[in-house]
Every structure is written in structure tokens, then in C-alpha cells.
Amino acid sequence: SQRVVIIGAGIVGTNLADELVSRGWKDITVVEQGPLSLPGGSTSHAPGLVFQTNPSKTMTLLAKYTVEKMQSLEKDGQNCYNQLGGLEIATTPERLQELKRKHGYAQSWGIEAHLISPEECLKKYPLLNKDMVLGGLHIPSDGLALAARATQLLIEKTRNAGVQYREHTLVTGIEQADGHVTGVTTNNGSIPADLVVSCAGFWGVEIGAMIGLKVPLLPLGHQYVKTTAVPSLVGREVNKNINAMNAELPILRHQDQDLYYREHGEQFGIGYYGHRPMPVVASSLGVTPKHVDEKNMPSRLDFTPEDFEPAWKATKELLPVLRETEIADGFNGIFSFTPDGGSVVGQAPNLDGFWVAEAVWVTHSAGVARAVAETLTEGRSSIDISECELSRFEEVQLSPEYVSETSQQNFVEIYDIIHPLAPKESPRNLRVSPFHARQREQGAFFLEVGGWERPHWYEANAELVKTLPEEWKPVDRDAWSSKFYSPIAAAEAWKTRNAVAMYDMTTFHRFEVSGPGAVHLLQRLTTSDVSKQPGTITHTLLVNSHGGVLSDIFVSRLENDLFQIGANTATDLAYLAREGRHQTTHTPGQWALVHDITGGTCCLGLWGPRARDVIQDVSSDDFSNKGLPYMGVKKTSIAGVPVTMFRKSFVGEYGWEIQTTPEYGQRLWDLLWQSGKTHGLVAAGRAAFNGLRIEKGLRASGSDMNSEYNPWEAGVTYAIQMDKKDEYVGKAALDQLSRKSPSKRLRCLTVDDGRSIVMGKEPVFYNGKAAGYVTSAAFGYTVRKPVAYAWLPSQVREGDAIEIEYFSTKIQATVTKDPLYDAQDRRLRG
Ligand code: FAD
């Protein structure tokens, strides 16, 4: 096994040591700047509430594993988890609705959960003010993790298994040679290593800076107080063993006031997120002293009572018994927040062998540690952790200004009710395509993605809604699914299917792969043969060594040694770039350079049965099926504008993605616009696009499929060439998988009443039992029904009736053969 150095003996670092050692790795050293008995990081004062359910399946499963692990860590007959249950209460009608949605997530991700009445809330938690509670969500397996004790047990257990611990040892530098980590420098000398994993919590930014890596997290203060003893509880019989943690009531969340509660014997602990964000620079806290205790540790700042005043008032309203108490002790504890609220886990893009696992809650700690250990030892995590991937951020999202503003916003919104389509309000307009001015003239409604402004529909098309044929008229929606939606999308979809529409595709990731080793690199990483003639496009997959789907990409061969990749995420770029670098190092004659051309290019999708009419008016080039067949690519010009034409489509219609460089962007738009006038051209947005994509059956990497699923399960085997001669990552696994029948399938569902909209992540019921969950959903404009994709057991067959639960209402739907639109690709082929 490799020599591993783990920086930080908090709940993440010690769990990682354990997960590695239990997989047979032997040479592991954990370096901690503080004393091991109480290192002084966030774990040292964490009250340990574990609410597992989250809109993210990944985070929920990481939490579920953490619960199992905490229960397995035992000493003197007592483990590290008190399964008291979790209770989230609603004191507003909006929250009551939100709890229904959350109940849906719990069922989707396999967590037992119950929506309960105000009376049942009071039964479970008699101290609640009965006049305030409208209902609750109860999760029996939630509870309290004794994080500091778990850390001590993990240290003891892993030490016995041979892990070395160095306390009072400050990591001051990361050593490297030839682009690979070789060890760490500390105040007590160097420690050699093949792999270094930073589990430094909110010190992660400082550790990252040692190698020039921007770690997008922001340490923030968060208030926690303990009350004096509640007089009526003094002397009551509580279970005083360590694992019970002097608590009997469920852990409690009062999210309408940004509050949570737990018992500490006769006292109460209160956590508050409603105060102003309090950013901290970790390096300003100085070196951790030799002596750390509960009241003196670097992660504990002085209490600011004025910030707590609204919380104290709200607490006394909700829990009247606390009116008889005072605040006995309070502090502003520090932990990490990130731009999207997720953890940051993965390998540094600029230094091989350097990993991070930071911005991780106690709740997810063991799950994250297992995911990292599995990735290091087996090459993949059994739970897909792409949502936590360190390299998921765009360059603009790594700036200190962006990280600071968005992480503070995440703190403010942590318990807010957030619509899945709700964009950030700020920062906005960080990236705009060259079509932006024209889009504004057309009344574009923009949502934000990766810093980009992306039109969802154009108000200029509003009048078209009135002229829609009866069968294209948009159906009424409920209040929730009407947010960030406009019926104009139906008109834009109609135009795409019946005339022609123009879509801004600039926000999609585009990379170039060049050099004499370009073919070899792409042959080695993709599931299809991409060594075709220049001028061809291949839709293919990136899979891991177990055959799990990492991404689906479009590989266009522009020249012998020049390819363009249409990809999904910044993580795709980091993967290809790293592999390109390795190939160049090991076989310099076969060098391959991967670089991002997204911002240096712009792109319009021109699609619809009249697309060719539009293009023929502005170019004399041959755009017939002979001149540029389906899945062909060529460089040409349109009225003098140099362009690359890609004959492909995400919406299932004839046409091209037309790419140029930004200086020509506006001219390209204007030329097509001018020419399109007589052919019924409209500008169309992402809302129409999504509906058209889904009814055409195109899967979205990330939401519909990820590394937990193989191509047979996901229904994307068309992107694999089983007789491909060259070796590639995952080939052996795919060979084996091709002989197995899948146990689950991504299925297309259509809603029977033709109008009930679902949004994604809802649970799906088969024979009355929760059997799967919706991955993505949209109204299928052409098929005139809401359409959803869902993961379901493979015994569920086409034609079977199922139910989708939306805000506690069951919607009848049918498993339907897909794609629903143009299964023979006639429209695409023209
Ligand atoms: P840490 O525990 O901070 O460990 C990192 C370690 O790295 C530290 O011990 C540090 O000394 C060491 N280190 C850093 N730099 C160096 C260096 N250069 N050299 C050597 N060592 C170094 N989470 C929940 O899930 N539930 C809760 O109820 C909850 N409540 C919270 C309440 C408060 C008030 C706060 C502040 C946080 C709370 N959290 C909660 C969050 C949780 O505490 C943290 O997310 C978690 O403990 C982080 O664990 P960690 O191991 O990543 O970091």
C-alpha cells in the first residue's frame, strides 16, 4: 500500500485513517497541530446533531453511513450514537408544505420518515408551545453523534492497527517532485508520503495555499449556547450513560427561526443560524496552543450576546419552560461553508497525490471518509460524490470574492425554503455570452449556472402563446411548479418543432484536445471508437474502472490531431487534463494537450424543420445531408463569419450547433435573426429545451445518471462500441456487465392526467411501496404530458402503473417506452 499522510485529527481525518486501515493500508500517519485528546478544531465542540435527510441523495447516503459507523464504534458497552430521532417542526404553512417535500426526499433516499400532526409533535416533544406548531417531520433514525468521543475511539482503534499519530505537529508545507506529492514539512521535520489528504477542516484554505490550490470554503462563526438548568427538569431520571449524552427528547429543528435544539441533561443546547455572517480567516487564529480545553480552543470565539437576542426571544416562545432559564454559556464556533453548500472532496487538479476532504459536517464525516478511502484503494466510491468534487467549480467561482459572498449567503439561507430552480441573486452577470445584449432586447428571463447568465425564455415570445393551436396550449400549474416558469416555453417548443428556434449553447463546456497523442488519449478514456475520419462526431461515455458512468461527451474530430469535446462539467475537464498530462509525461512523443475553450468560443443551436432555409439564405455552402451529414462537423463561414458547424441536436430536430469566437458572436446572431424572419425563427430558452430533450429521451449526466449506475441500467449503451479493439478505462468491467441483467433501470414515466407536474427527486411508488425516485422531469410539449425519468427496479416493466408522490399527493403515471419522440431519429437525420 502507499504511504499516506492525513492532515488533521478531527472527525474526518480519524475516520479516514480507520477506513484506510480497514481496507488493508498500513503506512498511515495522522498529523495534528493540537493535542490529540482535544485537538481544538470544529469537532472538539460539535454538539453532534445528525439530521440525515437532505435534498441531495449523496449527502443523505453519506449521513446514513455515518449513523451506522457511529453505532459501530463501541467501548465499555456504549457506542457513539444516541438514536433519539429527529423532529423538524413547522410554524408556518409554507414550512408545513416544505416538510412534505422533505418527507418525499426521505422516501426517495430510503430513510424512514413520518409527517406528524401537531398533537403527535407534542407527544414526542411535550415542551413545545402547542399554539405554535402546525405539524412536523419525524425521522426515527436521526440522533446525536458523540463526535469528540468517536474521534478518541477511532484514534485508539487505528493506533492499535498501526496508524501513527503526531500531535502538536504543525504542517507548514507540502513537498513535491515532478508534479507529484512527496511528503509534508512540519515544525518537527519532514514526513515522506505518496499521498497526502488534507482533512484540516476550516484551515483547508491555508493548506491548499501551500500548493497554490484554491480551496473554496469560508470559515464562519456560528452561535451555540447552553442554558442554565430547567427547574422542572432538575432531579428527573435521565439516562446518564455516556452514549445517551444526557438526552431523551428527539433533536429538534425550528427552521422558521433558524434554530435547533438538543438536551444536555437538565440544560438545553441551542444553535442559531439567524445572525449576521461572521467570516473568519483561519490563519489569524494563530498556532493552536499546547493546552486546549472546552472553553479555550482555536475554533471557539467569544460569544456576542446581542447577535443571539432574536434567537433567545424565539426560543422562549417555542419552548416556554426555557423562560425560567438564563444563558449559562455561549460561544461563536467556527466551521466551513462553501459556495454551493456542499463539501469539497477530491484530488487537487494541480498536484497528483494531494487530496482534500473538507467542509464536511459530523453528519457526513464517516460517509465522506469511506468515499475517499474507496476512491484511493479501489478507484471509485460506491456512493457517487460528484456533487462534492473539489474540481466542480468554475474558475470564476474560485475567486476569494465569490467564495466569500456565496458562502455567507449559504449561511444565511441554510434553513430557508429554496426552490430547485431559484438562482442566486448575487453575484450575477459574471459571465455573459456575446448574444447577451440581443437576448435582453428580446426580454430574456435569465437564470444562473456556473456564473453564466442563461436565458430560460424570452418575453418577446409572449404573444405567440395566444396563437398556439389548442393541443399545444400550456396546462395550468400549481404555485410551486409555476415558480421560475413561464407558459412562453410552450410557444418556444412549438416553434422548434414546427418552424425553427435559436438556442444559446455558449454555457456548455467545450474543450480542445490536441497533439500527436490526442487520438490515443481519447481512445483510452472513452467507450467508443473515436479514431474516425476528421469531420465526424461521436457521442460516447467516460466510465470508471467499474463501468459506472462518469459523463457522456461528444467527441468531434476536427483534424487528425485536433478534437473538440462537448462535456458536462468542470470535473470532466479536470479528468481529461490530468490524464493528458500523465500521458505527456510518460510518453512525450504521444503528448496531448487538453484545454478549455468555453469562454473563447460561443455557440448557437439552430434547430427545427426550417433550419436549413435559414442557413441557406446566409451561406452558399452545402448544408444538405451530403454536404454535412448527421453527426458531421465542418469549418465554414456564414456571410463572412468563420464558424464550425456541428450537425447534432439536443432537442431532437434537424439543425446545427454553430460555433464561432466571441468577437463575431453578435454578428452571427444578427445574420441568423435577419434571415430567420421569413422562416418563423424565434429565440428559445432552457425551459423549452428541457422539455424537448426529455421527450427525445436524452439523459442528463449528473441528474439522470452518475457513477453509481452502469450504461445498461441508464439506457445509454448506444454510446459504447462493444467491439472496440483499443483498451480503455472500464473496458473489462463493461464486458462483464454486458453479460449481466441490470437490477435497476432508468425508466421513462408519463403522467396519466396530462397535467400534474413534478420537478425531480420525488419518490416513486410501485405496488404501493417506495421503489425509486425521479431524476429529471419536464412537460413534454409534443407528447402533451408531463414526462419524468426515474430509477426503478428492473422488474418494473413498460406499461406498469406507478405513482409519483408530490407534496404528499400521489400522482398516477405509467412506465412508457422511450424515447417518446422520433424514436427512429428521422427528424434529426432530415
Ligand atoms: P476539524 O474538527 O476542525 O479538524 C481539523 C483538524 O485539522 C483540526 O484538529 C486542526 O487542528 C487540524 N489542522 C488544521 N491545520 C493543520 C496544520 N497545518 N497542521 C496540523 N494540523 C492541522 N455538524 C454536525 O453534523 N452536526 C452538528 O450539530 C453540528 N453543530 C455544530 C455547531 C457548531 C457551533 C459548530 C462550529 C459546528 C457544528 N457542526 C456540526 C459542524 C462540525 O463540527 C464540523 O463540520 C466538523 O466537526 C468538521 O470536522 P473536521 O474533521 O473536518 O474538522
PDB file of all heavy atoms in Angstrom, residues 769-799:
ATOM      1  N   LYS A 769     -45.442   0.579  -2.733  1.00  0.00           N
ATOM      2  CA  LYS A 769     -44.196   0.705  -1.952  1.00  0.00           C
ATOM      3  C   LYS A 769     -43.227   1.658  -2.645  1.00  0.00           C
ATOM      4  O   LYS A 769     -43.113   1.640  -3.881  1.00  0.00           O
ATOM      5  CB  LYS A 769     -43.508  -0.662  -1.850  1.00  0.00           C
ATOM      6  CG  LYS A 769     -44.184  -1.615  -0.922  1.00  0.00           C
ATOM      7  CD  LYS A 769     -43.128  -2.572  -0.329  1.00  0.00           C
ATOM      8  CE  LYS A 769     -43.759  -3.570   0.607  1.00  0.00           C
ATOM      9  NZ  LYS A 769     -44.311  -4.740  -0.086  1.00  0.00           N
ATOM     10  N   ALA A 770     -42.512   2.474  -1.838  1.00  0.00           N
ATOM     11  CA  ALA A 770     -41.493   3.362  -2.421  1.00  0.00           C
ATOM     12  C   ALA A 770     -40.451   2.490  -3.106  1.00  0.00           C
ATOM     13  O   ALA A 770     -39.845   1.622  -2.478  1.00  0.00           O
ATOM     14  CB  ALA A 770     -40.853   4.216  -1.335  1.00  0.00           C
ATOM     15  N   ALA A 771     -40.269   2.691  -4.422  1.00  0.00           N
ATOM     16  CA  ALA A 771     -39.395   1.784  -5.174  1.00  0.00           C
ATOM     17  C   ALA A 771     -38.274   2.531  -5.896  1.00  0.00           C
ATOM     18  O   ALA A 771     -37.337   1.909  -6.398  1.00  0.00           O
ATOM     19  CB  ALA A 771     -40.224   1.013  -6.193  1.00  0.00           C
ATOM     20  N   GLY A 772     -38.348   3.856  -5.965  1.00  0.00           N
ATOM     21  CA  GLY A 772     -37.325   4.598  -6.689  1.00  0.00           C
ATOM     22  C   GLY A 772     -37.586   6.079  -6.602  1.00  0.00           C
ATOM     23  O   GLY A 772     -38.391   6.521  -5.775  1.00  0.00           O
ATOM     24  N   TYR A 773     -36.923   6.827  -7.457  1.00  0.00           N
ATOM     25  CA  TYR A 773     -37.063   8.291  -7.383  1.00  0.00           C
ATOM     26  C   TYR A 773     -36.906   8.909  -8.763  1.00  0.00           C
ATOM     27  O   TYR A 773     -36.262   8.343  -9.652  1.00  0.00           O
ATOM     28  CB  TYR A 773     -36.045   8.873  -6.404  1.00  0.00           C
ATOM     29  CG  TYR A 773     -34.610   8.657  -6.836  1.00  0.00           C
ATOM     30  CD1 TYR A 773     -33.933   9.629  -7.569  1.00  0.00           C
ATOM     31  CD2 TYR A 773     -33.942   7.479  -6.527  1.00  0.00           C
ATOM     32  CE1 TYR A 773     -32.619   9.426  -7.982  1.00  0.00           C
ATOM     33  CE2 TYR A 773     -32.639   7.273  -6.931  1.00  0.00           C
ATOM     34  CZ  TYR A 773     -31.981   8.255  -7.663  1.00  0.00           C
ATOM     35  OH  TYR A 773     -30.700   8.046  -8.078  1.00  0.00           O
ATOM     36  N   VAL A 774     -37.518  10.084  -8.905  1.00  0.00           N
ATOM     37  CA  VAL A 774     -37.465  10.825 -10.166  1.00  0.00           C
ATOM     38  C   VAL A 774     -36.108  11.511 -10.287  1.00  0.00           C
ATOM     39  O   VAL A 774     -35.613  12.105  -9.327  1.00  0.00           O
ATOM     40  CB  VAL A 774     -38.597  11.880 -10.216  1.00  0.00           C
ATOM     41  CG1 VAL A 774     -38.462  12.766 -11.448  1.00  0.00           C
ATOM     42  CG2 VAL A 774     -39.962  11.200 -10.191  1.00  0.00           C
ATOM     43  N   THR A 775     -35.497  11.416 -11.474  1.00  0.00           N
ATOM     44  CA  THR A 775     -34.201  12.077 -11.677  1.00  0.00           C
ATOM     45  C   THR A 775     -34.395  13.445 -12.323  1.00  0.00           C
ATOM     46  O   THR A 775     -33.870  14.436 -11.872  1.00  0.00           O
ATOM     47  CB  THR A 775     -33.285  11.225 -12.561  1.00  0.00           C
ATOM     48  OG1 THR A 775     -33.986  10.956 -13.788  1.00  0.00           O
ATOM     49  CG2 THR A 775     -32.919   9.927 -11.887  1.00  0.00           C
ATOM     50  N   SER A 776     -35.147  13.478 -13.426  1.00  0.00           N
ATOM     51  CA  SER A 776     -35.468  14.784 -14.002  1.00  0.00           C
ATOM     52  C   SER A 776     -36.847  14.707 -14.626  1.00  0.00           C
ATOM     53  O   SER A 776     -37.347  13.613 -14.940  1.00  0.00           O
ATOM     54  CB  SER A 776     -34.404  15.249 -15.004  1.00  0.00           C
ATOM     55  OG  SER A 776     -34.228  14.313 -16.019  1.00  0.00           O
ATOM     56  N   ALA A 777     -37.464  15.865 -14.755  1.00  0.00           N
ATOM     57  CA  ALA A 777     -38.845  15.890 -15.220  1.00  0.00           C
ATOM     58  C   ALA A 777     -39.114  17.204 -15.936  1.00  0.00           C
ATOM     59  O   ALA A 777     -38.472  18.208 -15.662  1.00  0.00           O
ATOM     60  CB  ALA A 777     -39.786  15.750 -14.026  1.00  0.00           C
ATOM     61  N   ALA A 778     -40.054  17.162 -16.860  1.00  0.00           N
ATOM     62  CA  ALA A 778     -40.441  18.388 -17.578  1.00  0.00           C
ATOM     63  C   ALA A 778     -41.760  18.104 -18.274  1.00  0.00           C
ATOM     64  O   ALA A 778     -42.171  16.940 -18.412  1.00  0.00           O
ATOM     65  CB  ALA A 778     -39.382  18.772 -18.605  1.00  0.00           C
ATOM     66  N   PHE A 779     -42.412  19.144 -18.741  1.00  0.00           N
ATOM     67  CA  PHE A 779     -43.594  18.921 -19.557  1.00  0.00           C
ATOM     68  C   PHE A 779     -43.129  18.552 -20.957  1.00  0.00           C
ATOM     69  O   PHE A 779     -42.299  19.238 -21.544  1.00  0.00           O
ATOM     70  CB  PHE A 779     -44.480  20.180 -19.582  1.00  0.00           C
ATOM     71  CG  PHE A 779     -45.829  19.899 -20.171  1.00  0.00           C
ATOM     72  CD1 PHE A 779     -46.833  19.343 -19.392  1.00  0.00           C
ATOM     73  CD2 PHE A 779     -46.085  20.135 -21.517  1.00  0.00           C
ATOM     74  CE1 PHE A 779     -48.074  19.035 -19.933  1.00  0.00           C
ATOM     75  CE2 PHE A 779     -47.328  19.833 -22.067  1.00  0.00           C
ATOM     76  CZ  PHE A 779     -48.321  19.282 -21.273  1.00  0.00           C
ATOM     77  N   GLY A 780     -43.636  17.452 -21.492  1.00  0.00           N
ATOM     78  CA  GLY A 780     -43.291  17.047 -22.859  1.00  0.00           C
ATOM     79  C   GLY A 780     -44.269  17.740 -23.802  1.00  0.00           C
ATOM     80  O   GLY A 780     -45.411  17.305 -23.941  1.00  0.00           O
ATOM     81  N   TYR A 781     -43.814  18.788 -24.431  1.00  0.00           N
ATOM     82  CA  TYR A 781     -44.734  19.648 -25.186  1.00  0.00           C
ATOM     83  C   TYR A 781     -45.355  18.905 -26.358  1.00  0.00           C
ATOM     84  O   TYR A 781     -46.543  19.029 -26.631  1.00  0.00           O
ATOM     85  CB  TYR A 781     -43.992  20.889 -25.686  1.00  0.00           C
ATOM     86  CG  TYR A 781     -43.436  21.708 -24.554  1.00  0.00           C
ATOM     87  CD1 TYR A 781     -42.082  21.644 -24.218  1.00  0.00           C
ATOM     88  CD2 TYR A 781     -44.265  22.525 -23.805  1.00  0.00           C
ATOM     89  CE1 TYR A 781     -41.580  22.383 -23.174  1.00  0.00           C
ATOM     90  CE2 TYR A 781     -43.766  23.267 -22.745  1.00  0.00           C
ATOM     91  CZ  TYR A 781     -42.416  23.197 -22.441  1.00  0.00           C
ATOM     92  OH  TYR A 781     -41.924  23.923 -21.400  1.00  0.00           O
ATOM     93  N   THR A 782     -44.549  18.103 -27.053  1.00  0.00           N
ATOM     94  CA  THR A 782     -45.050  17.429 -28.243  1.00  0.00           C
ATOM     95  C   THR A 782     -45.971  16.272 -27.862  1.00  0.00           C
ATOM     96  O   THR A 782     -46.976  16.029 -28.519  1.00  0.00           O
ATOM     97  CB  THR A 782     -43.869  16.889 -29.072  1.00  0.00           C
ATOM     98  OG1 THR A 782     -42.790  17.807 -28.976  1.00  0.00           O
ATOM     99  CG2 THR A 782     -44.260  16.684 -30.502  1.00  0.00           C
ATOM    100  N   VAL A 783     -45.595  15.556 -26.775  1.00  0.00           N
ATOM    101  CA  VAL A 783     -46.414  14.417 -26.369  1.00  0.00           C
ATOM    102  C   VAL A 783     -47.558  14.865 -25.452  1.00  0.00           C
ATOM    103  O   VAL A 783     -48.406  14.071 -25.071  1.00  0.00           O
ATOM    104  CB  VAL A 783     -45.576  13.305 -25.698  1.00  0.00           C
ATOM    105  CG1 VAL A 783     -44.539  12.784 -26.660  1.00  0.00           C
ATOM    106  CG2 VAL A 783     -44.906  13.789 -24.426  1.00  0.00           C
ATOM    107  N   ARG A 784     -47.538  16.139 -25.091  1.00  0.00           N
ATOM    108  CA  ARG A 784     -48.644  16.766 -24.332  1.00  0.00           C
ATOM    109  C   ARG A 784     -48.897  16.103 -22.997  1.00  0.00           C
ATOM    110  O   ARG A 784     -50.031  15.861 -22.612  1.00  0.00           O
ATOM    111  CB  ARG A 784     -49.929  16.775 -25.177  1.00  0.00           C
ATOM    112  CG  ARG A 784     -49.784  17.743 -26.310  1.00  0.00           C
ATOM    113  CD  ARG A 784     -50.714  17.546 -27.449  1.00  0.00           C
ATOM    114  NE  ARG A 784     -50.105  18.210 -28.590  1.00  0.00           N
ATOM    115  CZ  ARG A 784     -50.054  17.730 -29.806  1.00  0.00           C
ATOM    116  NH1 ARG A 784     -50.607  16.576 -30.090  1.00  0.00           N
ATOM    117  NH2 ARG A 784     -49.455  18.394 -30.756  1.00  0.00           N
ATOM    118  N   LYS A 785     -47.830  15.781 -22.333  1.00  0.00           N
ATOM    119  CA  LYS A 785     -47.940  15.176 -20.996  1.00  0.00           C
ATOM    120  C   LYS A 785     -46.692  15.549 -20.211  1.00  0.00           C
ATOM    121  O   LYS A 785     -45.617  15.653 -20.819  1.00  0.00           O
ATOM    122  CB  LYS A 785     -47.901  13.645 -21.093  1.00  0.00           C
ATOM    123  CG  LYS A 785     -49.159  12.988 -21.511  1.00  0.00           C
ATOM    124  CD  LYS A 785     -48.905  11.498 -21.590  1.00  0.00           C
ATOM    125  CE  LYS A 785     -50.104  10.835 -22.253  1.00  0.00           C
ATOM    126  NZ  LYS A 785     -49.825   9.531 -22.742  1.00  0.00           N
ATOM    127  N   PRO A 786     -46.809  15.627 -18.897  1.00  0.00           N
ATOM    128  CA  PRO A 786     -45.579  15.698 -18.112  1.00  0.00           C
ATOM    129  C   PRO A 786     -44.806  14.373 -18.250  1.00  0.00           C
ATOM    130  O   PRO A 786     -45.423  13.291 -18.231  1.00  0.00           O
ATOM    131  CB  PRO A 786     -46.069  15.906 -16.679  1.00  0.00           C
ATOM    132  CG  PRO A 786     -47.448  16.477 -16.826  1.00  0.00           C
ATOM    133  CD  PRO A 786     -48.008  15.819 -18.062  1.00  0.00           C
ATOM    134  N   VAL A 787     -43.506  14.496 -18.389  1.00  0.00           N
ATOM    135  CA  VAL A 787     -42.641  13.321 -18.558  1.00  0.00           C
ATOM    136  C   VAL A 787     -41.595  13.350 -17.446  1.00  0.00           C
ATOM    137  O   VAL A 787     -41.091  14.421 -17.098  1.00  0.00           O
ATOM    138  CB  VAL A 787     -41.916  13.361 -19.920  1.00  0.00           C
ATOM    139  CG1 VAL A 787     -41.033  12.131 -20.106  1.00  0.00           C
ATOM    140  CG2 VAL A 787     -42.920  13.484 -21.057  1.00  0.00           C
ATOM    141  N   ALA A 788     -41.298  12.177 -16.902  1.00  0.00           N
ATOM    142  CA  ALA A 788     -40.254  12.112 -15.874  1.00  0.00           C
ATOM    143  C   ALA A 788     -39.380  10.896 -16.147  1.00  0.00           C
ATOM    144  O   ALA A 788     -39.856   9.891 -16.703  1.00  0.00           O
ATOM    145  CB  ALA A 788     -40.884  12.004 -14.491  1.00  0.00           C
ATOM    146  N   TYR A 789     -38.133  10.983 -15.769  1.00  0.00           N
ATOM    147  CA  TYR A 789     -37.280   9.793 -15.743  1.00  0.00           C
ATOM    148  C   TYR A 789     -37.082   9.403 -14.287  1.00  0.00           C
ATOM    149  O   TYR A 789     -37.050  10.270 -13.405  1.00  0.00           O
ATOM    150  CB  TYR A 789     -35.942  10.051 -16.449  1.00  0.00           C
ATOM    151  CG  TYR A 789     -36.092   9.802 -17.937  1.00  0.00           C
ATOM    152  CD1 TYR A 789     -36.649  10.754 -18.774  1.00  0.00           C
ATOM    153  CD2 TYR A 789     -35.754   8.565 -18.474  1.00  0.00           C
ATOM    154  CE1 TYR A 789     -36.840  10.495 -20.129  1.00  0.00           C
ATOM    155  CE2 TYR A 789     -35.942   8.293 -19.825  1.00  0.00           C
ATOM    156  CZ  TYR A 789     -36.482   9.256 -20.636  1.00  0.00           C
ATOM    157  OH  TYR A 789     -36.676   8.976 -21.959  1.00  0.00           O
ATOM    158  N   ALA A 790     -37.023   8.100 -14.042  1.00  0.00           N
ATOM    159  CA  ALA A 790     -36.907   7.642 -12.651  1.00  0.00           C
ATOM    160  C   ALA A 790     -36.107   6.353 -12.597  1.00  0.00           C
ATOM    161  O   ALA A 790     -36.197   5.513 -13.500  1.00  0.00           O
ATOM    162  CB  ALA A 790     -38.294   7.410 -12.058  1.00  0.00           C
ATOM    163  N   TRP A 791     -35.343   6.194 -11.518  1.00  0.00           N
ATOM    164  CA  TRP A 791     -34.681   4.911 -11.256  1.00  0.00           C
ATOM    165  C   TRP A 791     -35.663   3.973 -10.578  1.00  0.00           C
ATOM    166  O   TRP A 791     -36.263   4.326  -9.564  1.00  0.00           O
ATOM    167  CB  TRP A 791     -33.445   5.127 -10.363  1.00  0.00           C
ATOM    168  CG  TRP A 791     -32.293   5.618 -11.163  1.00  0.00           C
ATOM    169  CD1 TRP A 791     -31.787   6.884 -11.168  1.00  0.00           C
ATOM    170  CD2 TRP A 791     -31.539   4.869 -12.117  1.00  0.00           C
ATOM    171  NE1 TRP A 791     -30.741   6.976 -12.073  1.00  0.00           N
ATOM    172  CE2 TRP A 791     -30.567   5.752 -12.658  1.00  0.00           C
ATOM    173  CE3 TRP A 791     -31.577   3.552 -12.566  1.00  0.00           C
ATOM    174  CZ2 TRP A 791     -29.647   5.342 -13.634  1.00  0.00           C
ATOM    175  CZ3 TRP A 791     -30.659   3.152 -13.531  1.00  0.00           C
ATOM    176  CH2 TRP A 791     -29.711   4.038 -14.052  1.00  0.00           C
ATOM    177  N   LEU A 792     -35.817   2.783 -11.162  1.00  0.00           N
ATOM    178  CA  LEU A 792     -36.767   1.803 -10.626  1.00  0.00           C
ATOM    179  C   LEU A 792     -36.173   0.404 -10.736  1.00  0.00           C
ATOM    180  O   LEU A 792     -35.315   0.162 -11.601  1.00  0.00           O
ATOM    181  CB  LEU A 792     -38.077   1.859 -11.436  1.00  0.00           C
ATOM    182  CG  LEU A 792     -38.959   3.096 -11.154  1.00  0.00           C
ATOM    183  CD1 LEU A 792     -40.038   3.242 -12.209  1.00  0.00           C
ATOM    184  CD2 LEU A 792     -39.581   2.991  -9.771  1.00  0.00           C
ATOM    185  N   PRO A 793     -36.613  -0.521  -9.885  1.00  0.00           N
ATOM    186  CA  PRO A 793     -36.119  -1.903 -10.001  1.00  0.00           C
ATOM    187  C   PRO A 793     -36.461  -2.459 -11.383  1.00  0.00           C
ATOM    188  O   PRO A 793     -37.478  -2.076 -11.970  1.00  0.00           O
ATOM    189  CB  PRO A 793     -36.905  -2.660  -8.920  1.00  0.00           C
ATOM    190  CG  PRO A 793     -37.556  -1.631  -8.074  1.00  0.00           C
ATOM    191  CD  PRO A 793     -37.626  -0.361  -8.836  1.00  0.00           C
ATOM    192  N   SER A 794     -35.629  -3.379 -11.882  1.00  0.00           N
ATOM    193  CA  SER A 794     -35.821  -3.803 -13.276  1.00  0.00           C
ATOM    194  C   SER A 794     -37.084  -4.639 -13.482  1.00  0.00           C
ATOM    195  O   SER A 794     -37.550  -4.794 -14.606  1.00  0.00           O
ATOM    196  CB  SER A 794     -34.594  -4.536 -13.795  1.00  0.00           C
ATOM    197  OG  SER A 794     -34.300  -5.570 -12.929  1.00  0.00           O
ATOM    198  N   GLN A 795     -37.686  -5.147 -12.360  1.00  0.00           N
ATOM    199  CA  GLN A 795     -38.936  -5.898 -12.581  1.00  0.00           C
ATOM    200  C   GLN A 795     -40.093  -4.983 -12.977  1.00  0.00           C
ATOM    201  O   GLN A 795     -41.118  -5.439 -13.450  1.00  0.00           O
ATOM    202  CB  GLN A 795     -39.319  -6.783 -11.375  1.00  0.00           C
ATOM    203  CG  GLN A 795     -39.703  -6.049 -10.113  1.00  0.00           C
ATOM    204  CD  GLN A 795     -38.504  -5.879  -9.183  1.00  0.00           C
ATOM    205  OE1 GLN A 795     -37.362  -5.797  -9.634  1.00  0.00           O
ATOM    206  NE2 GLN A 795     -38.755  -5.826  -7.882  1.00  0.00           N
ATOM    207  N   VAL A 796     -39.928  -3.670 -12.785  1.00  0.00           N
ATOM    208  CA  VAL A 796     -40.967  -2.737 -13.245  1.00  0.00           C
ATOM    209  C   VAL A 796     -40.871  -2.667 -14.766  1.00  0.00           C
ATOM    210  O   VAL A 796     -39.794  -2.437 -15.315  1.00  0.00           O
ATOM    211  CB  VAL A 796     -40.754  -1.331 -12.627  1.00  0.00           C
ATOM    212  CG1 VAL A 796     -41.844  -0.380 -13.092  1.00  0.00           C
ATOM    213  CG2 VAL A 796     -40.724  -1.422 -11.109  1.00  0.00           C
ATOM    214  N   ARG A 797     -42.009  -2.910 -15.435  1.00  0.00           N
ATOM    215  CA  ARG A 797     -41.991  -3.042 -16.897  1.00  0.00           C
ATOM    216  C   ARG A 797     -42.738  -1.918 -17.580  1.00  0.00           C
ATOM    217  O   ARG A 797     -43.583  -1.270 -16.967  1.00  0.00           O
ATOM    218  CB  ARG A 797     -42.669  -4.361 -17.306  1.00  0.00           C
ATOM    219  CG  ARG A 797     -42.016  -5.586 -16.746  1.00  0.00           C
ATOM    220  CD  ARG A 797     -40.837  -5.978 -17.595  1.00  0.00           C
ATOM    221  NE  ARG A 797     -40.044  -6.993 -16.917  1.00  0.00           N
ATOM    222  CZ  ARG A 797     -38.805  -7.297 -17.226  1.00  0.00           C
ATOM    223  NH1 ARG A 797     -38.198  -6.660 -18.196  1.00  0.00           N
ATOM    224  NH2 ARG A 797     -38.138  -8.228 -16.587  1.00  0.00           N
ATOM    225  N   GLU A 798     -42.459  -1.774 -18.873  1.00  0.00           N
ATOM    226  CA  GLU A 798     -43.226  -0.806 -19.663  1.00  0.00           C
ATOM    227  C   GLU A 798     -44.704  -1.130 -19.568  1.00  0.00           C
ATOM    228  O   GLU A 798     -45.100  -2.291 -19.641  1.00  0.00           O
ATOM    229  CB  GLU A 798     -42.789  -0.849 -21.125  1.00  0.00           C
ATOM    230  CG  GLU A 798     -41.501  -0.088 -21.350  1.00  0.00           C
ATOM    231  CD  GLU A 798     -40.788  -0.480 -22.624  1.00  0.00           C
ATOM    232  OE1 GLU A 798     -41.417  -1.101 -23.496  1.00  0.00           O
ATOM    233  OE2 GLU A 798     -39.583  -0.164 -22.743  1.00  0.00           O
ATOM    234  N   GLY A 799     -45.512  -0.114 -19.397  1.00  0.00           N
ATOM    235  CA  GLY A 799     -46.956  -0.295 -19.275  1.00  0.00           C
ATOM    236  C   GLY A 799     -47.430  -0.388 -17.834  1.00  0.00           C
ATOM    237  O   GLY A 799     -48.618  -0.231 -17.555  1.00  0.00           O
TER     238      GLY A 799
END
